[in-house]
Each structure stands twice: as structure tokens, then as C-alpha cells.
Amino acid sequence: MDYEAAQQLSETVKEHAERPRNYGPLKKYNAHHRWTGPCGDTMEYWLQIEAGRVVDLGFITDGCETSIASGSMTGTMAAGRSVEQVMQMDPLEIYEALDGLPDEFQHCILLALTTVQDACEVYLTEQEELKARQTEPLSEEQRLKQRMGQIRHKIAVFSGKGGVGKSTVAVNLASSLALEGYKVGLLDSDIHGPSVPTMLGLEGVPLEMDEDGVLPLEVDGIKVMSLGLMLESQDDAVIWRGPRKLAVIKQFVSEVAWGELDYLIIDSPPGTGDEPLAVCQTLNDLDGAVIVTTPQKVAAVDVRKSISFCRQLNVPVLGVVENMSGYVCPKCGDVTQILAGGAGQRIAEDMQVPFLGAVPIDPQVALAGDSGQSFVRYFADSPTAAILRDLFAPLLRLG
Ligand code: ADP
């Protein structure tokens, strides 16, 4: 600026030019903009906005004294105002406040104000986008991930075929964990014949939803959900094939609002086909699997298949349970071996997986299942309950 022009500047302008009030970038800011005007000068502003108000502000310019003065005065006047008020500021206000800025330098004010207002505009747009993202419904995949992230351990109970006591083991494992004080969920993922609700006396109890999803039913400290109960008609499950089945199982599992859990026990569909595969793929980081079998030799083939299935899916086998191994006389309590057995134990040794133990046929186990009571809780004094407790002990200490 030439000497004459400098002479024309008012004291206010000179003061702001020599000692700008808000000079330099801020350490903490959440709005920023840089703008180069037609004159070639660049203005840059940093704003700290809290609760919709500009609480601090800094700027720099590579321009002349009038640019520095205009930037400083604009910043001084914007600080403390709400973002909306800054957006409505008029260049005339700043011009008057500077009191004596030569007319030919008015564009400096315009450049400063436009830069601050643009910083506010960018800030408002980012806030809008953030809000929109937060209210956007999560995808099924994201919801599933979020829900599963709240569950510390997941154990699936498998069997090579139906009727060997898989659901009985799943229910009693869940109940043993709940009795130990853990937060437990039990997912009955058999979409064809849900037996868990019957075994826990929840048959006919309607499912409810809140904004977070389908709420598990609660009994004796266990949160229970049965995918079969989420189906409108049992006939639907029969007609689904491979990929469709996977999609439906995934959708159902992602709908269940478990909240935080220490353990989720999954009563898997029997066998090694599409359905257990869908369950494993959906709950993809299982801690491991418990495989239930019976003592007969013919069951051996199924156990081998189940162990290989787990190995292919990288699911650790936590152990094999040999169920219906011997008969407990209801009168004297003696155990009689009625089936030539030991197959479960032999296969476990053969395939180098842990053998958790053998559970006898005990009429009270069947009775408890039919009457909707978990055996380990309501028949806790019986010798079979003690056997189950010992058998589950390694699973109660996953950490
Ligand atoms: P799966 O889930 O393998 O089809 P379940 O757990 O439904 O098998 O058991 C089938 C039937 O056998 C049920 O009526 C159950 O109460 C009964 N049952 C299971 N284990 C025993 C056992 N150890 N003693 C007596 N009955 C049992």
C-alpha cells in the first residue's frame, strides 16, 4: 500500500492491521475455510464451534494491512455469535465498525466475511451429514456385527442326527452357566422343530419387539430365542433351499436384541447340511462346538462327520458328550449299560478332541424336558445333575 493510502486509514483500521485480534490457526477447531479473492489475497479461518456458537476463532492472510484489518475485525465480530447469526452478518456492519476503511478496499471485508461464512456453511453441511448417517438404519450385516460384538462367548451344540439329546444338552449348559451367575442367551436355531421353548416352558408365549429388534423371552436367568417361533408358518422352512435358507437364518439371527451376554449357546439344527452351515456362517466367530452323540457304534459315523464339519469351518471342538449312556433305575439309582457303547469316547480319542463325559438315560431328564423345567436347576440334587455339572465344568471357564 502506498504512503498516501496508509495515511487515510483510521486508527481502528491501523490498530487491527498492526495487532490483529484473532491471528493464526487454532489448536482446537471444527470448522475451517480458505478463500482466495479476485485481488489474489488469501484469507483462512479456523473456528471452534460449540453448541451452535462460535466460541473461538483464528485467521491468517497473505494480504496487505487492509486485508489484515478486515480479517481481524470480521473475526472479532463473528466470535461469540451463533452460527446462524454469523451467516446473516452484513459487510456494512464490518465496514462501519472499521470506521474509515477506504472504499477501494471494501473487497477485503467481502473476502473475509465470505470466508468465515463459508467455514460455517461447511460446518453445517457436515453436521447434517453426520446426523443423517446416525439416523440411517443399519444394514443387516452391520446390525449383526454390532449385536455379536456384545457377546463374549458363543458355543454351538451339534449332533450328527436328531433325537440324541442335543437340545437337552444345550438347555442344561445354558442353565448351568446362568446358575454360575453368567449372563446367558440360548438360541434355538432349528427352524423345523423348535424344542427349546417346550423344554423351558415357553410354548405359546408371544414374541415382542421394540425399536432395537425382537426381544428374547426370559426364564430362570436365560434369554431365549427360537428361530422357529419367528416363522409365520412352519411350512415356509420346508421349501427354502440352500442360499435362501442362509439368508433367512441370517435375517432372523440379526433381528434378535440380545444385549450384552457372557455366553450365547446355540442349539444347532441336526446334521451337517445347509442349516448348521448357515448358523456357523452367520455367527462366524464361534468359540467352539459341543458334539452330542449316543453310545452305539452306528452313531460313530455321525460324530466323525460332525467333527470334520467343525474342522472345515475352523470351529474348535470343545468336546464330545455321550448321551443316553446306560440307564439310571428310578428306584435304586443304579446305572445299567443297556446299549453296547463307548462309541463317543472312542471317537473322541481317535480324532483327538476332548471327551466331556457320558450322561445316562434318566427318566427324570425326560420328565424335566417335557414339563418345561431345566434339569440341572430343578433336579439339582440328582446324581445325573452332578454328572452334567462335572461334564460342563470345562465350558464354564472360558474366561
Ligand atoms: P435332539 O435335540 O438331539 O433332537 P432332545 O434333546 O430333544 O434331542 O432329546 C430327545 C428326547 O430325549 C427328549 O424327550 C429328551 O427329554 C430326551 N432325553 C434326552 N437326553 C436324555 C437322557 N439323558 N435321559 C432321558 N431322556 C433324555
Side-chain angles (χ1 to χ4, degrees), residues 8-9 27-28 51 59 65 77-78 160 167 190 281 288 291 306 331 364 392:
Q8 286 175 23
L9 299 178
K27 272 206 185 109
K28 205 175 124 192
F59 98 106
E65 284 87 340
M77 292 177 74
S167 300
D190 192 343
Q281 284 175 338
I291 297 170
S306 296
K331 292 215 176 93
Q364 282 189 316
F392 292 144

Side-chain angles (χ1 to χ4, degrees), residues 141-151 154 211-214 252-261:
E141 205 69 43
Q142 288 168 318
R143 207 166 44 233
L144 189 63
K145 209 169 160 197
Q146 197 184 54
R147 294 201 198 283
M148 292 302 129
Q150 292 181 288
I151 300 173
K154 295 177 215 119
E211 65 280 358
D212 195 29
V214 182
F252 283 156
V253 172
S254 71
E255 289 298 331
V256 187
W258 295 105
E260 276 185 24
L261 292 181

Side-chain angles (χ1 to χ4, degrees), residues 4 43 45 66 81 84 98 102 105 112 140 142 148 162 180 211 213 222 227 238 254 266 283 315 326-327 334 378 383:
E4 221 164 286
M43 291 267 185
Y45 279 91
T66 52
R81 298 196 192 200
E84 279 73 20
L98 279 174
F105 296 112
E140 188 179 291
Q142 288 168 318
M148 292 302 129
E180 288 283 311
E211 65 280 358
I222 311 172
L227 297 192
V238 183
S254 71
I266 302 110
L283 308 158
V315 175
Y327 174 71
D334 278 355
Y378 292 97

Side-chain angles (χ1 to χ4, degrees), residues 2-29:
D2 61 32
Y3 178 77
E4 221 164 286
Q7 284 295 301
Q8 286 175 23
L9 299 178
S10 71
E11 286 310 308
T12 321
V13 177
K14 279 188 200 156
E15 202 199 324
H16 274 274
E18 280 158 20
R19 284 188 289 117
R21 306 282 199 277
N22 39 46
Y23 200 79
L26 297 183
K27 272 206 185 109
K28 205 175 124 192
Y29 65 92

Side-chain angles (χ1 to χ4, degrees), residues 29 62 106 125 174 189 265 272 332 349 366-367:
Y29 65 92
D62 57 3
Q106 274 183 34
T125 312
S189 60
I265 305 303
T272 50
C332 64
E349 281 163 12
L367 190 76

Side-chain angles (χ1 to χ4, degrees), residues 162-168 199 323-324 359-362 365-366:
V164 299
K166 173 179 52 59
S167 300
T168 305
M199 289 185 171
N323 189 29
M324 307 187 183
V359 187
I361 297 175
D362 183 336
V365 170

